[in-house]
Amino acid sequence: MKILITGGAGFIGSNFVRYMATSYPDYQYLVLDKLTYAGNYSNIEELVEQGKVRFIKADIGNPAELEQLSSEGINQIVNFAAETHVDRSITDPGLFIRTNILGVNNLLDLARRLEIRFHQVSTDEVFGSLSLVNLDAKFLETTPYDPRSPYSASKAGADHLVNAYHHTYGLWTTISNCSNNYGPYCYPEKLIPYFVISMTKGLNVPVYGNGKNIRDWLYVEDHCRAIDQIIHHGRAGESYCVGGGEEKSTIEIADIIADQLGLDYEPKVFTKDRPGHDQRYAIDHTKISTELGYKPQYSFESGIRQTIDWYLTNPGWWEPLLSGLKKQDFIDSGKFLSSL
Ligand SMILES: NC(=O)c1ccc[n+]([C@@H]2O[C@H](COP(=O)([O-])OP(=O)(O)OC[C@H]3O[C@@H](n4cnc5c(N)ncnc54)[C@H](O)[C@@H]3O)[C@@H](O)[C@H]2O)c1
């Protein structure tokens, strides 16, 4: 089995590469990544040096750069490559269309020509927003798509293309729609690493709006396990919702991290809300649990402890990335990481 992992130098992709190389050492792995600001070769460098993984620097948005893959003998593509930060999609939606829609079309075209399997890593954000009133409601595979941000609209467009290639050309495709991931190697602009790093430096953390927005947090290793189950045992043309079953508001996340770090000051500063900020995401993962035996192994308590410990012991990984953080100009008071 030879797997092409696109976007494999990013957060979830590099965790997946490591998980797979450990779980299936007999497989061959080819990682393709453009190494954007969010891609980091050092995330997989050790595996490349150990000969467990090969790396190609290329752009999925450029079909000519994908041509070199035609003679590689690949059996399966797992696509993580994407522009992923919602705030950046609000300022530069065009880049999200190019990579997240046109790039996926280029990969699907390649998979179609090579007659190989294609798995798309998608998001629960394609379903829009749940309200904060009926907390029993959850997203599941039959929930209609209703994306609200340029990021989620681009991911929704890609999902539709994936399904279209399955129905039109008979391509073997699968999709996973997962909730918010956290864990090691997550770029510091994302909420949990941003909060952990800020608080270890004695800084404030910005909380958008009233801070009551809820996300269903998924430890990245559980997500990797779910994708493993889907590519080995999933059904062609199907989507699978993957969640961690751990709903937490932004305020709760900030308080839990502050508590774990033993902070002696109040770090939260409430700021102007993100435009179009979705209120709540929650996943019903009954389908993947029933069909494929998926069960998250990490509680939020154990996952966040591991995550905090990883960031505390690996400042050499995240310190060089801090200069790439965008200044958050909606913030007018407080001492923040991105405005240092
Ligand atoms: N992080 C989450 O909580 C989350 C939740 C749901 C879904 N997802 C999806 O999972 C996937 C991975 O997310 P992540 O958090 O690891 O993202 P990330 O931003 O950390 O990594 C994305 C990777 O894709 C690469 N990339 C970007 N544009 C590329 C291009 N044109 N060609 C080749 N490579 C390119 C980047 O260099 C980077 O290595 C994405 O598709 C994202 O939409 C993420």
Side-chain angles (χ1 to χ4, degrees), residues 154-172:
S154 68
K155 294 296 288 185
D159 289 3
H160 291 316
L161 274 174
V162 173
N163 288 326
Y165 270 70
H166 172 71
H167 289 292
T168 310
Y169 306 115
L171 186 69
W172 182 291

Side-chain angles (χ1 to χ4, degrees), residues 57-76:
K57 184 172 186 298
D59 176 0
I60 65 164
N62 183 349
E65 291 186 21
L66 302 179
E67 272 313 308
Q68 58 187 312
L69 301 168
S70 299
S71 55
E72 283 284 349
I74 297 159
N75 310 100
Q76 166 87 59

Side-chain angles (χ1 to χ4, degrees), residues 6-14 32-40 58-62 79-85 98-100 103 120-125 151 155 176-182 185-187 189-190 217 223:
T6 46
F11 163 42
I12 309 174
S14 64
L32 180 146
D33 201 294
K34 186 182 173 184
L35 299 182
T36 66
Y37 79 95
N40 194 337
D59 176 0
I60 65 164
N62 183 349
N79 179 40
F80 295 89
E83 290 294 335
T84 61
H85 194 45
R98 181 184 182 277
T99 296
N100 299 2
Q120 169 70 353
V121 179
S122 187
T123 167
D124 60 356
E125 299 189 33
Y151 164 69
K155 294 296 288 185
S176 48
N177 296 98
C178 70
S179 55
N180 286 55
N181 284 225
Y182 67 104
Y185 300 99
C186 185
Y187 191 77
E189 73 187 353
K190 300 282 168 60
W217 291 94
H223 184 198

Side-chain angles (χ1 to χ4, degrees), residues 310-332:
W310 189 85
Y311 280 90
L312 290 180
T313 48
N314 290 282
W317 181 85
W318 52 260
E319 279 284 4
L321 303 177
L322 299 184
S323 58
L325 291 183
K326 284 191 120 178
K327 188 170 179 322
Q328 301 186 7
D329 43 16
F330 55 86
I331 295 169
D332 46 32

